[in-house]
Amino acid sequence: KSTSIWRIQIFPVLMYHKTDMQENHRKHHCVFMLAKLRKSCSCTPKKLKNFVMDFLPVLRWLPKYQCKEYIWGDVMSGLVIGIILVPQAIAYSLLAGLKPIYSLYTSFFANIIYFLMGTSRHVSVGIFSLISLMVGQVVDRELLLAGFDLNDDAPSAWGDGSLQNDSQSNSTAFNLTVAGMNVLMGIFRLGFVSMYLSESVLDGFATGASLTILTAQVKYLIGIKIPRSQGHGMLVITWINIFRNISQANFCDVITSAICIMVLVTAKELGDRYKHKLKFPLPTELVVIVVATLVSHYGKLNEVYASSVSGAIPTGFIPPKVPHFNLMLRVAVDALPLAVVSFVFTVSLSEMCAKKYAYTIRANQEMFAVGFCNIIPSFFHSFATSAALAKTLVKTSTGCQTQVSGVISAMVVLLVLLFLAPLFYSLQKCVLACIIIVSLRGALRKFQDVPARYHVNKVDTLIWVVTMSASALISTEIGLLVGIVFSMLCIVVRTQRPRTTLLGQIPNTSFYEDDLEYENLSSVPKVKIFRFEAPLYYANRNYFLKSLYRLTNLDPNLEAARRKKYEKEKQHLKKGDHKTANGLGMRETTLQLVPKQNDFQALVVDCSSISFLDTTGVNTLKEILKDYKDLNISVLLACCNPSVTDSLKRGGYFGKDCGSMQEMLFYSIHNAVQFAKDQKLPADSTDGEGQFAIITRHALGCVQQWAYQPLSPEELCCLSDATQNSHWGCSPVPGWNRLITCICTLKCR
C-alpha cells in the first residue's frame, strides 16, 4: 500500500520533469535554428568575397597561373581550337537555320564566359552539332507557325529581311529560355537530374540525332532544293523527298562533295593513325574551306553551275536586342530537354577530364557556367552552347593546361568576326555539309560497337537501340524522353523479375553458392537456402513468393489445404463412411490426399542482395514465416544489411521487444545453417502425434495397392518393418498401433 501511495505521489513529479525537459529541448532547438538562419543570411566581407570567388572561379586560379609552365600549351591548343572553330561555326549555322555570323558570335562569347565561370581546365565549350540541330528544329517550327516558306528556292522572305529577323527573334528567345532553365537548375541544385541519363541513353540519343543531322545535310551534298521537314518522322519524310528530287541533283555540288569527303576522311584516318607522332592535329577543315572558297570564287561556280554558296557574312557586332517574352513562353517546353542535354554533356566531359588530370569540378557551378554562356550571347542572337567531345579531346591532346586557351580561341574567332568573315562569301554550302557529316564519324561508329555492347549487357543494348530509333524516327526531344522512360522501366522490370536461386555448400567450407552456376556443391540436409537478388517491395512480392514455392517445391498454402482435407477425410473414416466427403471411394481418396512429406525443416533466406524492404516486403516475410511455421518449418534470415534489419524491427517481424531476434536473424548463411542443424525443430520432436502424421504419410503410400485386398500377418509385419526403416527417417512410436488398427479396419471392410 505504501508503495502504491509513493508511486501516486511521484508520478506527477516525473511527468512534470519530463514535460519541462521536452519544452527546454524545443526552446534550445528553436534558438539554434534561428541562430543558424541568422548566420546564413548575414552578409560579411568574408562571405561576400567567398561568394564572388565561387561564382567566378577564375579569381582563384588565375593569380596562381604558372606562366612559364602553362603558356605554351595554352597558346598552342587555343590556336588549334580557334582554327577548328571557324569552319565548324560556319558549317553548324546550316543546322541552326541561321546566318554564319551568329554561330561565330556563339563561339566567341562561350569561350570568354566559360573562362570566367567554368571549373574545368580542359573542356571546350561552344557550338555543338546536336545542340545546333535542336535549336534549328525549334526555329524552323516557329517560322512555319508564323507563315514563312522555308523552301530553299523561296528567297523573297530572306531578301526583305523579315524571315531573318524572325529567325533571330526565335533563336534569341529560345536561347534565353534555355539559359534561364540552366541557371534555375543551378540555384535549386538540380544537378541530380543528370543521373537519369545513362551512358546507353546518351549514346543512343547522340547516334539517333547524328542520323537526323546526316539526313538534313544530304540535300546540300547533292545540291537539290526540297522543303525542310518538320515534326515527327522528319528523317523518313526527308529521305522520301530526296529520292523524289534526286534527278535535280547539281553535278557540281556532287563532285565537290565527293572530293571534300574523300580528303576529310583520309586526313582524319591518317591523323588518328599517327596522332602519337603529331604534336597537334592537322587543320584539315580550314584547309578544305580555304581551297574550296578560292576554287568557287575564281571558278564562278555559283554563276556558272548554280551552286549554292554561303553568301555575305557581315563583320563586327550587331546591337544587342531583348527577346520577346511571349516567344519565351512558347518555346519553354522545347528548352527543357536542351538545357538538360547541354548540362549533361558539359558535366560528363568535365568529370572525365578532372578524373584524368586529378582535379575536381563543381557540378552546380558548371550549370551556372553553361547558363551564363547562353544568357549574354542570347542578346546578340547567338544560340545554345555546350561542351563538345571532339574539340575537348583535341584541346587536351595539344597541351592545354587551363582555360586561358579558351581566350586564345576566342581571339581567333574575333579576328574572323572583325576582318575575315566577308572572304567566305563564295564558300559552297556542300563543303560545309561535308564538314558536318565527317564530324559525325564518332557517333556513327557506335553501330560497330553494338555486338560488343550486346555481349557485355543485353539490356543496355536494347536501351541504346530504342533510344536511337526513337531519336531518329520520331524526333530528338521525344527520343530523349523515350530513352529515359524506357531505361527506368528496364530497371523496374529487372527488380520485378530478378534472379532467384537455391544455394549449395562448397564442400569443407563455410561458403554457399548458386547450385545452377557451380558444380560439385553439396546440399544441406533438411535445409533449403533461398537467394533473392533484388529489393523486396510491392512490385515483386508475387514473384518472390512464386519463385520461393517453385524452387523449394512446396507451397505452404496448398500443403496446409491438403492437410486439412486429409484430416477431414480421416474424420469420415473414423465414422465408418464408405464414401468420403467429396464423393470418392476410400481408395481414390487415399491416392489423392496423402500429405506430401517435407524434405526440409528449415528455410534460410539469403538477404545479402536485398537492399531495402518496404511495408509490403516486411509483410511478405512475416507471411512466409507464419505459413511455414504452420508446417513445422523454421524460416531464418541471413546477411541482412542495417536498413533491412531496421525495417524488420519496425514492422514487428521479430515479435514484441525483438525477443526472438537472435533465433531468426544471422550474420552469415553458415551460422543460420548451423543453427538449423543444431536446434530441435518441431518436426523432429518425439511427440507421438507428430511422428504419427509422418508415419501415416509413408505407410498409406505403401499400402495404396493393398487397401482393398486381404492382408496376411506377414504383409503387416513387412509393412511395419518398411515404415520403421531408416530410409524414411522414422522411429517406432506409440502411434504405430493406431495405424495398424486403421489398416485392419480397412481390411475388414
Side-chain angles (χ1 to χ4, degrees):
K1 183 178 180 181
S2 61
T3 305
S4 300
I5 294 173
W6 180 83
R7 287 179 178 174
I8 293 172
Q9 291 175 346
I10 201 69
F11 184 73
V13 178
L14 292 174
M15 287 295 295
Y16 171 76
H17 282 297
K18 185 177 180 181
T19 306
D20 192 42
M21 290 176 62
Q22 289 178 346
E23 187 66 26
N24 289 335
H25 176 73
R26 198 177 296 114
K27 288 181 179 179
H28 285 303
H29 181 70
C30 291
V31 171
F32 173 75
M33 292 301 294
L34 287 173
K36 189 175 181 180
L37 182 63
R38 191 181 299 112
K39 183 179 179 181
S40 61
C41 294
S42 63
C43 182
T44 62
K46 184 178 180 181
K47 278 192 172 183
L48 182 61
K49 177 184 176 182
N50 289 334
F51 172 78
V52 173
M53 296 188 75
D54 287 340
F55 190 71
L56 298 172
V58 67
L59 299 177
R60 292 187 183 274
W61 61 263
L62 190 59
K64 303 175 184 177
Y65 185 79
Q66 302 176 17
C67 187
K68 291 183 179 179
E69 185 177 349
Y70 294 163
I71 192 64
W72 174 248
D74 285 341
V75 170
M76 283 298 299
S77 63
L79 289 174
V80 172
I81 294 298
I83 292 171
I84 294 175
L85 270 176
V86 172
Q88 283 194 353
I90 299 173
Y92 289 165
S93 63
L94 294 179
L95 293 175
L98 298 169
K99 289 291 186 179
I101 189 67
Y102 303 120
S103 56
L104 292 173
Y105 289 157
T106 302
S107 301
F108 172 76
F109 286 115
N111 279 281
I112 295 295
I113 295 171
Y114 193 81
F115 162 76
L116 299 173
M117 300 186 64
T119 58
S120 174
R121 303 175 190 170
H122 301 86
V123 162
S124 176
V125 176
I127 53 174
F128 185 37
S129 58
L130 180 57
I131 304 297
S132 302
L133 172 69
M134 298 175 74
V135 171
Q137 289 176 342
V138 175
V139 170
D140 288 350
R141 187 197 66 202
E142 293 300 318
L143 290 176
L144 286 174
L145 292 176
F148 289 101
D149 185 6
L150 299 183
N151 292 350
D152 292 326
D153 55 353
S156 58
W158 288 101
D160 61 14
S162 58
L163 179 59
Q164 181 61 29
N165 292 335
D166 215 72
S167 298
Q168 295 169 6
S169 300
N170 290 327
S171 65
T172 300
F174 186 54
N175 194 32
L176 189 57
T177 308
V178 173
M181 288 186 175
N182 277 325
V183 173
L184 288 176
M185 290 170 69
I187 292 174
F188 293 107
R189 299 184 178 276
L190 299 179
F192 68 89
V193 175
S194 63
M195 72 178 65
Y196 295 105
L197 296 178
S198 65
E199 181 180 349
S200 299
V201 172
L202 286 176
D203 285 348
F205 175 63
T207 306
S210 298
L211 292 176
T212 304
I213 294 171
L214 185 148
T215 300
Q217 301 308 305
V218 171
K219 65 177 182 179
Y220 298 112
L221 286 181
I222 59 180
I224 61 176
K225 300 184 185 301
I226 58 174
R228 300 187 199 176
S229 302
Q230 281 295 311
H232 304 327
M234 185 194 77
L235 183 138
V236 177
I237 296 172
T238 302
W239 278 107
I240 292 174
N241 290 331
I242 289 172
F243 285 113
R244 283 179 178 174
N245 296 274
I246 194 69
S247 58
Q248 302 174 9
N250 187 305
F251 289 101
C252 178
D253 287 343
V254 171
I255 295 172
T256 303
S257 299
I259 295 173
C260 289
I261 289 178
M262 183 176 63
V263 172
L264 288 169
V265 171
T266 303
K268 293 290 183 183
E269 293 296 329
L270 290 175
D272 291 342
R273 180 173 298 182
Y274 299 105
K275 60 183 178 181
H276 58 283
K277 296 183 179 180
L278 299 173
K279 294 184 178 180
F280 56 88
L282 300 174
T284 314
E285 291 91 346
L286 184 63
V287 173
V288 168
I289 281 183
V290 171
V291 173
T293 303
L294 292 174
V295 172
S296 176
H297 176 73
Y298 290 104
K300 297 182 179 180
L301 301 183
N302 178 247
E303 294 83 356
V304 177
Y305 300 102
S307 180
S308 181
V309 296
S310 299
I313 303 177
T315 57
F317 291 91
I318 61 175
K321 183 179 179 181
V322 178
H324 296 293
F325 184 73
N326 60 336
L327 288 175
M328 294 176 62
L329 294 178
R330 284 202 338 228
V331 299
V333 176
D334 303 284
L336 180 59
L338 196 148
V340 173
V341 169
S342 62
F343 163 71
V344 169
F345 275 106
T346 302
V347 171
S348 300
L349 291 176
S350 299
E351 289 179 345
M352 180 188 72
C353 295
K355 183 178 180 181
K356 182 177 181 180
Y357 294 98
Y359 62 90
T360 58
I361 65 162
R362 289 183 286 131
N364 277 307
Q365 181 60 27
E366 288 295 303
M367 197 175 289
F368 281 124
V370 173
F372 279 91
C373 281
N374 292 325
I375 286 179
I376 298 175
S378 65
F379 294 95
F380 293 88
H381 310 299
S382 302
F383 46 90
T385 59
S386 170
L389 175 61
K391 290 191 287 290
T392 299
L393 294 178
V394 171
K395 202 171 185 179
T396 56
S397 65
T398 51
C400 173
Q401 299 293 331
T402 66
Q403 284 298 331
V404 171
S405 62
V407 178
I408 304 298
S409 301
M411 295 302 104
V412 175
V413 176
L414 181 63
L415 180 66
V416 176
L417 273 171
L418 296 179
F419 305 106
L420 304 179
L423 299 179
F424 298 104
Y425 176 90
S426 299
L427 178 62
Q428 294 170 272
K429 288 185 178 180
C430 64
V431 177
L432 301 177
C434 292
I435 293 174
I436 294 173
I437 290 175
V438 173
S439 69
L440 300 176
R441 288 185 317 139
L444 297 177
R445 278 177 175 172
K446 297 292 182 180
F447 285 103
Q448 298 178 356
D449 301 335
V450 172
R453 189 188 294 269
Y454 182 81
H455 179 73
V456 173
N457 193 301
K458 297 178 178 61
V459 176
D460 283 348
T461 307
L462 182 61
I463 293 172
W464 183 88
V465 171
V466 169
T467 308
M468 182 272 299
S469 302
S471 301
L473 299 178
I474 304 176
S475 69
T476 51
E477 296 85 356
I478 298 295
L480 181 62
L481 180 61
V482 168
I484 295 173
V485 172
F486 186 75
S487 63
M488 296 178 72
L489 284 176
C490 287
I491 295 174
V492 173
V493 170
R494 292 169 80 174
T495 58
Q496 278 187 300
R497 300 185 66 85
R499 180 180 176 83
T500 57
T501 183
L502 289 181
L503 305 184
Q505 185 178 15
I506 301 176
N508 303 320
T509 69
S510 59
F511 301 104
Y512 299 80
E513 286 297 342
D514 185 352
D515 56 3
L516 296 178
E517 292 291 333
Y518 298 91
E519 297 179 353
N520 302 323
L521 297 180
S522 59
S523 59
V524 181
K526 299 295 182 181
V527 178
K528 296 282 189 182
I529 307 169
F530 175 72
R531 174 182 288 171
F532 187 75
E533 299 182 357
L536 181 55
Y537 65 111
Y538 68 93
N540 60 15
R541 171 190 181 275
N542 292 333
Y543 184 76
F544 174 85
L545 294 175
K546 288 180 181 178
S547 301
L548 176 62
Y549 299 159
R550 174 175 54 83
L551 292 174
T552 59
N553 198 25
L554 176 63
D555 186 337
N557 298 314
L558 295 179
E559 181 65 18
R562 190 180 293 114
R563 292 189 180 190
K564 286 181 181 179
K565 277 191 175 183
Y566 176 73
E567 291 297 327
K568 190 174 181 180
E569 300 304 334
K570 193 166 68 172
Q571 294 298 326
H572 281 276
L573 178 63
K574 288 182 179 180
K575 293 178 181 179
D577 295 338
H578 289 277
K579 291 288 183 180
T580 58
N582 58 6
L584 297 175
M586 192 62 219
R587 177 183 177 89
E588 288 82 359
T589 303
T590 304
L591 288 169
Q592 292 184 14
L593 297 180
V594 173
K596 181 180 178 181
Q597 180 194 9
N598 299 333
D599 59 348
F600 64 99
Q601 297 171 348
L603 172 67
V604 178
V605 180
D606 177 15
C607 301
S608 58
S609 300
I610 300 179
S611 57
F612 69 86
L613 297 172
D614 66 351
T615 304
T616 304
V618 174
N619 291 335
T620 302
L621 292 179
K622 291 169 70 176
E623 177 185 335
I624 66 171
L625 176 66
K626 177 182 177 299
D627 291 344
Y628 281 106
K629 185 177 181 181
D630 293 341
L631 301 180
N632 294 330
I633 297 176
S634 296
V635 178
L636 310 176
L637 304 181
C639 305
C640 294
N641 63 44
S643 172
V644 171
T645 304
D646 188 52
S647 298
L648 293 172
K649 288 179 181 178
R650 293 197 307 268
Y653 180 84
F654 303 111
K656 293 183 178 180
D657 302 326
C658 301
S660 59
M661 182 174 173
Q662 293 182 349
E663 298 178 355
M664 302 170 67
L665 183 65
F666 299 88
Y667 288 105
S668 69
I669 299 175
H670 191 64
N671 289 344
V673 171
Q674 290 300 114
F675 179 82
K677 287 181 178 179
D678 296 342
Q679 71 171 340
K680 209 156 193 180
L681 295 168
D684 283 337
S685 65
T686 57
D687 177 72
E689 192 66 32
Q691 284 285 20
F692 176 70
I694 299 175
I695 295 173
T696 302
R697 186 181 310 126
H698 294 300
L700 286 179
C702 292
V703 302
Q704 287 171 2
Q705 57 181 336
W706 301 338
Y708 291 94
Q709 300 176 10
L711 288 178
S712 65
E714 290 80 13
E715 288 173 329
L716 288 175
C717 290
C718 180
L719 175 62
S720 174
D721 291 340
T723 308
Q724 298 177 57
N725 194 297
S726 60
H727 173 72
W728 287 292
C730 302
S731 57
V733 293
W736 174 250
N737 294 328
R738 293 167 56 191
L739 174 63
I740 298 300
T741 303
C742 177
I743 295 174
C744 291
T745 303
L746 285 174
K747 282 277 315 101
C748 294
R749 293 177 184 171

